[in-house]
Amino acid sequence: MGLTSLLDLELAVPAPDELQAFWEGHGMRVTGPGMLGSLDRPSLLRLREGAYRHVAEMRVACETESDLDAIGRRLERLGLAPVRGDGVLRCPDPILDHTVVVQIGAAAALTPPGPRSLNRPGRPERLNRRSTACLGHAPHAPRRLGHVVFGTPDVAASRAFYVEGLGFKVSDSIGDMAYFLRCSPDHHNILLMPSAVPCLNHYALEMDDIDAIGLAGAKVLAQRPDCSITGIGRHVVGANLFWYMLDPTGGMFELYADMDQIVDDEKWAAEQFRDDWDPFTISRWNSSAVRADFFAPADIDAIAKARAAAGR
Ligand SMILES: [Fe+2]
């Protein structure tokens, strides 16, 4: 079958303690030195100190040893030199510089949220009782790392690395400008989009539902009133509800829910795949309010300078 899931990210930032304290304050669990987990998963983010904000490592999972063999052969055909260890393959991303680690296994299953019934016109489901959304509702903190969006100076080469090398599948694209890729049933676990320099555009954390997004986002906003980038909205591509905000290091994160799931690759490719999406219609609602720093991080010049200083 190949890849099964996105596991976690190692983020290098100038002040990892500050980022750890932020996420600890918003419900993540400190599960080890610099490691932040959730109810079901010990690691969503691993933090370490770095001169500038970037992804240092991304871990994904595959099913079997023979999947690792096949991935290794495909990467070698692209002229790369993956390193095999015990049940693990490591390969530097040739464009974005971070290391991709593929390991055998799958991300831990998630504890489902409690039942939620909706009263819609002509279809009332919640009768003679109050909604859990407003009474005693304590939604879970972020449940898992769902996707990562990378800005790349060479979209075609990045696509080749992730699709032809690692085996990600293309769910949708914006022409040949941006690609939504998956390594699990999620509509996308990676989005590749153009950028003058390699950068992390955002990391996305799955929440239970719109109320969980609203409650968690409002709590962040109460502490840091200028941190909302855009949201709440619903993406057109992938269909996820979203709220984009800045963490204390200036990194954008997304709280999201209700993303399209793809379990039949051929059916999706035949009936749903599109490559003609409009890059600027990011939401079914209110796309005109999207700020420029949704598309390129406000600290992109600082990232470029720091990369140059590091000889990259
Ligand atoms: Fe996203």
PDB file of all heavy atoms in Angstrom, residues 147 149 188 202 204 235 240 244 254, ligand 1:
ATOM      1  N   HIS A 147      -1.690  18.347   8.364  1.00  0.00           N
ATOM      2  CA  HIS A 147      -0.947  18.652   7.137  1.00  0.00           C
ATOM      3  C   HIS A 147       0.060  19.771   7.354  1.00  0.00           C
ATOM      4  O   HIS A 147       0.025  20.466   8.371  1.00  0.00           O
ATOM      5  CB  HIS A 147      -1.884  18.951   5.962  1.00  0.00           C
ATOM      6  CG  HIS A 147      -2.749  20.162   6.115  1.00  0.00           C
ATOM      7  ND1 HIS A 147      -4.013  20.129   6.653  1.00  0.00           N
ATOM      8  CD2 HIS A 147      -2.548  21.463   5.772  1.00  0.00           C
ATOM      9  CE1 HIS A 147      -4.552  21.326   6.642  1.00  0.00           C
ATOM     10  NE2 HIS A 147      -3.672  22.173   6.108  1.00  0.00           N
ATOM     11  N   VAL A 149       2.179  22.831   4.995  1.00  0.00           N
ATOM     12  CA  VAL A 149       2.253  23.529   3.711  1.00  0.00           C
ATOM     13  C   VAL A 149       3.641  24.140   3.573  1.00  0.00           C
ATOM     14  O   VAL A 149       4.093  24.896   4.442  1.00  0.00           O
ATOM     15  CB  VAL A 149       1.148  24.597   3.592  1.00  0.00           C
ATOM     16  CG1 VAL A 149       1.317  25.408   2.317  1.00  0.00           C
ATOM     17  CG2 VAL A 149      -0.217  23.917   3.608  1.00  0.00           C
ATOM     18  N   HIS A 188      -5.365  16.266   1.978  1.00  0.00           N
ATOM     19  CA  HIS A 188      -3.947  16.631   1.837  1.00  0.00           C
ATOM     20  C   HIS A 188      -3.209  16.561   3.166  1.00  0.00           C
ATOM     21  O   HIS A 188      -3.735  16.928   4.197  1.00  0.00           O
ATOM     22  CB  HIS A 188      -3.746  17.991   1.168  1.00  0.00           C
ATOM     23  CG  HIS A 188      -4.486  19.148   1.777  1.00  0.00           C
ATOM     24  ND1 HIS A 188      -5.808  19.411   1.507  1.00  0.00           N
ATOM     25  CD2 HIS A 188      -4.080  20.125   2.614  1.00  0.00           C
ATOM     26  CE1 HIS A 188      -6.185  20.507   2.155  1.00  0.00           C
ATOM     27  NE2 HIS A 188      -5.148  20.961   2.851  1.00  0.00           N
ATOM     28  N   HIS A 202       2.506  26.868   6.767  1.00  0.00           N
ATOM     29  CA  HIS A 202       1.781  26.604   8.015  1.00  0.00           C
ATOM     30  C   HIS A 202       1.753  25.120   8.337  1.00  0.00           C
ATOM     31  O   HIS A 202       1.986  24.280   7.480  1.00  0.00           O
ATOM     32  CB  HIS A 202       0.365  27.181   7.996  1.00  0.00           C
ATOM     33  CG  HIS A 202      -0.608  26.496   7.069  1.00  0.00           C
ATOM     34  ND1 HIS A 202      -0.824  26.901   5.778  1.00  0.00           N
ATOM     35  CD2 HIS A 202      -1.450  25.456   7.267  1.00  0.00           C
ATOM     36  CE1 HIS A 202      -1.754  26.131   5.212  1.00  0.00           C
ATOM     37  NE2 HIS A 202      -2.139  25.245   6.093  1.00  0.00           N
ATOM     38  N   ALA A 204      -0.920  22.331  10.310  1.00  0.00           N
ATOM     39  CA  ALA A 204      -2.362  22.277  10.584  1.00  0.00           C
ATOM     40  C   ALA A 204      -2.669  21.183  11.588  1.00  0.00           C
ATOM     41  O   ALA A 204      -2.188  20.050  11.470  1.00  0.00           O
ATOM     42  CB  ALA A 204      -3.126  22.023   9.290  1.00  0.00           C
ATOM     43  N   HIS A 235     -12.489  25.861   3.471  1.00  0.00           N
ATOM     44  CA  HIS A 235     -11.738  25.751   2.232  1.00  0.00           C
ATOM     45  C   HIS A 235     -12.590  25.113   1.140  1.00  0.00           C
ATOM     46  O   HIS A 235     -13.440  24.265   1.415  1.00  0.00           O
ATOM     47  CB  HIS A 235     -10.501  24.873   2.430  1.00  0.00           C
ATOM     48  CG  HIS A 235      -9.339  25.612   3.032  1.00  0.00           C
ATOM     49  ND1 HIS A 235      -8.864  26.793   2.525  1.00  0.00           N
ATOM     50  CD2 HIS A 235      -8.551  25.322   4.095  1.00  0.00           C
ATOM     51  CE1 HIS A 235      -7.819  27.195   3.243  1.00  0.00           C
ATOM     52  NE2 HIS A 235      -7.623  26.335   4.215  1.00  0.00           N
ATOM     53  N   ASN A 240     -12.108  21.536   4.294  1.00  0.00           N
ATOM     54  CA  ASN A 240     -11.977  21.685   5.743  1.00  0.00           C
ATOM     55  C   ASN A 240     -12.373  23.075   6.233  1.00  0.00           C
ATOM     56  O   ASN A 240     -12.081  24.079   5.592  1.00  0.00           O
ATOM     57  CB  ASN A 240     -10.538  21.348   6.207  1.00  0.00           C
ATOM     58  CG  ASN A 240      -9.441  21.869   5.321  1.00  0.00           C
ATOM     59  OD1 ASN A 240      -9.492  21.718   4.107  1.00  0.00           O
ATOM     60  ND2 ASN A 240      -8.451  22.501   5.910  1.00  0.00           N
ATOM     61  N   TYR A 244      -6.847  30.279  10.693  1.00  0.00           N
ATOM     62  CA  TYR A 244      -5.386  30.431  10.630  1.00  0.00           C
ATOM     63  C   TYR A 244      -4.947  31.524  11.593  1.00  0.00           C
ATOM     64  O   TYR A 244      -5.509  32.624  11.597  1.00  0.00           O
ATOM     65  CB  TYR A 244      -4.948  30.828   9.215  1.00  0.00           C
ATOM     66  CG  TYR A 244      -5.065  29.702   8.216  1.00  0.00           C
ATOM     67  CD1 TYR A 244      -6.247  29.479   7.522  1.00  0.00           C
ATOM     68  CD2 TYR A 244      -3.997  28.851   7.964  1.00  0.00           C
ATOM     69  CE1 TYR A 244      -6.367  28.448   6.609  1.00  0.00           C
ATOM     70  CE2 TYR A 244      -4.098  27.813   7.045  1.00  0.00           C
ATOM     71  CZ  TYR A 244      -5.286  27.629   6.375  1.00  0.00           C
ATOM     72  OH  TYR A 244      -5.392  26.598   5.464  1.00  0.00           O
ATOM     73  N   GLU A 254      -2.870  26.288  11.573  1.00  0.00           N
ATOM     74  CA  GLU A 254      -4.293  26.203  11.215  1.00  0.00           C
ATOM     75  C   GLU A 254      -4.962  25.239  12.174  1.00  0.00           C
ATOM     76  O   GLU A 254      -4.466  24.140  12.403  1.00  0.00           O
ATOM     77  CB  GLU A 254      -4.419  25.680   9.773  1.00  0.00           C
ATOM     78  CG  GLU A 254      -5.863  25.415   9.333  1.00  0.00           C
ATOM     79  CD  GLU A 254      -5.959  24.655   8.002  1.00  0.00           C
ATOM     80  OE1 GLU A 254      -4.904  24.344   7.411  1.00  0.00           O
ATOM     81  OE2 GLU A 254      -7.085  24.362   7.574  1.00  0.00           O
TER      82      GLU A 254
HETATM   83 FE    FE B   1      -4.026  24.271   5.640  1.00  0.00          FE
END
